[in-house]
Amino acid sequence: MRALLVVNPRATATTERSRDVLVRALESAVELTVRHTERRGHATALARAAAESGVDVVVTLGGDGTVDEAVNGLMTAPAALTGPAAYRLPALAVGPGGSTNVFARALGLPRDWADATSVILDGLRDGRHRVIGLGRADDRYFTFAAGLGLDAAVVRRVEQARLRGRPPTPGRYMRATVGQFLTGVDRRDPPMTLERPGEPAEAGVGTVIVQNTAPWTYVGDRPVDPNPDASFDLGLDILALRRLEVFGTARTVTQLAWRSGDPHGKQVLRLHDLAEFTVVSSRPQAFQLDGDYLGERQKVHFVSVPSALRVIC
């Protein structure tokens, strides 16, 4: 069995020791090639080349951004464009090396990289895998979540802080959320409209969160789960907030923090198991996929892609 290990050496929780242990462990089970990412988007190119060369497994060691790039490389390889992709592409294995590791935790992998390595080795030796669905936003795939509006603007703030050498801690995300909400939100004129085939449009939306699985994210050890029924085996789920008024939004945040999975109220729109929909905005909105800020958009078409990828679990 041939495998490619894609390492992001700049990932938050990736150390030289964890890399060495994972390499030695994988070399005991597969014919291994190791590549380090050198720039944004490099993992996409490495994973696509691996799929084209007939590699059996692509393993990532990094955060959710590294996983997202590798998945996009696999899903844009020629084998993925000629029919059902899951059994035509290399399987994916994920070593948690970032600060949050939402995708790995959603798959049930341990947070500790050593324990996760053991699970990956057992899965490779036993041929144990799971076929999951993905989301697609225009031409870009995502594994667990996407967002337009407030949550994406928070991601942008945290990424800007990270470039200044400040780590992406839960406290950093909380401060970015409060700062963005108080200074960067237009509460009087929600700009977005949600369009679904065969359904009336939902206008006057202030922010949109899309889930491909549950939970949406974590704050430390606490899962934040607006749509707990979201699943890799179903379509996409939505949590949208209409007017981002101070009281209503604070109420929703409190529901998410203390009554996980039960946000409600007149400003809350929740939709489950959608095959496709489009978000259109009257002005550019911050946009994120799998926790990576991707700039601003005024229109994004979302599609659920069932049975897209095999993952070692």
Side-chain angles (χ1 to χ4, degrees):
M1 180 184 295
R2 296 169 57 209
L4 170 71
L5 173 61
V6 178
V7 177
N8 179 358
R10 292 172 297 279
T12 306
T14 299
T15 65
E16 185 175 351
R17 178 169 177 260
S18 64
R19 294 194 296 267
D20 290 345
V21 170
L22 181 56
V23 167
R24 289 197 298 270
L26 288 172
E27 285 177 337
S28 71
V30 298
E31 179 185 337
L32 185 67
T33 300
V34 181
R35 296 291 303 273
H36 290 71
T37 60
E38 300 171 357
R39 59 191 179 277
R40 190 163 186 166
H42 194 194
T44 298
L46 294 174
R48 185 185 299 119
E52 292 172 353
S53 68
V55 162
D56 300 293
V57 181
V58 171
V59 186
T60 63
L61 180 59
D64 288 309
T66 306
V67 175
D68 178 88
E69 287 191 10
V71 166
N72 275 275
L74 294 174
M75 295 302 298
T76 54
L81 306 178
T82 57
Y87 289 94
R88 302 172 63 92
L89 293 171
L92 176 71
V94 179
S99 59
T100 310
N101 305 302
V102 178
F103 180 64
R105 293 162 78 176
L107 291 172
L109 289 171
R111 291 187 68 182
D112 179 76
W113 56 266
D115 292 338
T117 297
S118 178
V119 172
I120 291 170
L121 286 177
D122 289 344
L124 289 172
R125 288 167 177 157
D126 298 341
R128 189 171 62 241
H129 66 266
R130 176 183 177 184
V131 177
I132 66 168
L134 299 172
R136 191 177 71 230
D138 292 336
D139 60 352
R140 178 79 179 251
Y141 292 87
F142 61 97
T143 62
F144 65 90
L148 279 159
L150 177 60
D151 84 307
V154 170
V155 170
R156 176 176 59 198
R157 283 190 174 221
V158 172
E159 287 195 2
Q160 290 169 346
R162 188 172 184 174
L163 291 175
R164 298 193 295 271
R166 299 173 182 174
T169 62
R172 181 81 56 203
Y173 275 99
M174 183 62 67
R175 289 190 291 273
T177 299
V178 172
Q180 182 64 32
F181 180 70
L182 293 178
T183 65
V185 172
D186 184 352
R187 301 180 184 87
R188 293 173 296 180
D189 184 23
M192 287 183 273
T193 298
L194 181 65
E195 301 175 349
R196 293 177 287 159
E199 299 288 343
E202 295 278 358
V205 173
T207 193
V208 177
I209 290 170
V210 182
Q211 288 179 239
N212 185 50
T213 189
W216 164 50
T217 189
Y218 290 85
V219 178
D221 291 330
R222 179 188 292 274
V224 182
D225 211 352
N227 293 293
D229 293 329
S231 169
F232 289 126
D233 302 320
L234 300 173
L236 301 174
D237 280 25
I238 293 174
L239 170 71
L241 301 183
R242 295 183 173 93
R243 293 186 178 275
L244 297 175
E245 298 171 345
V246 174
F247 177 78
T249 304
R251 180 172 180 264
T252 301
V253 171
T254 300
Q255 290 168 350
L256 288 174
W258 300 109
R259 297 171 59 194
S260 183
D262 189 30
H264 58 273
K266 64 181 181 180
Q267 85 281 8
V268 176
L269 172 66
R270 293 170 65 190
L271 299 169
H272 175 59
D273 192 17
L274 302 182
E276 66 174 307
F277 58 92
T278 302
V279 179
V280 181
S281 178
S282 61
R283 54 186 180 272
Q285 295 296 302
F287 174 52
Q288 66 89 7
L289 292 181
D290 286 343
D292 267 6
Y293 177 66
L294 297 179
E296 295 185 333
R297 301 286 193 278
Q298 283 190 254
K299 182 178 181 180
V300 181
H301 181 60
F302 291 91
V303 177
S304 173
V305 185
S307 301
L309 190 67
R310 285 179 299 137
V311 291
I312 305 299
C313 58

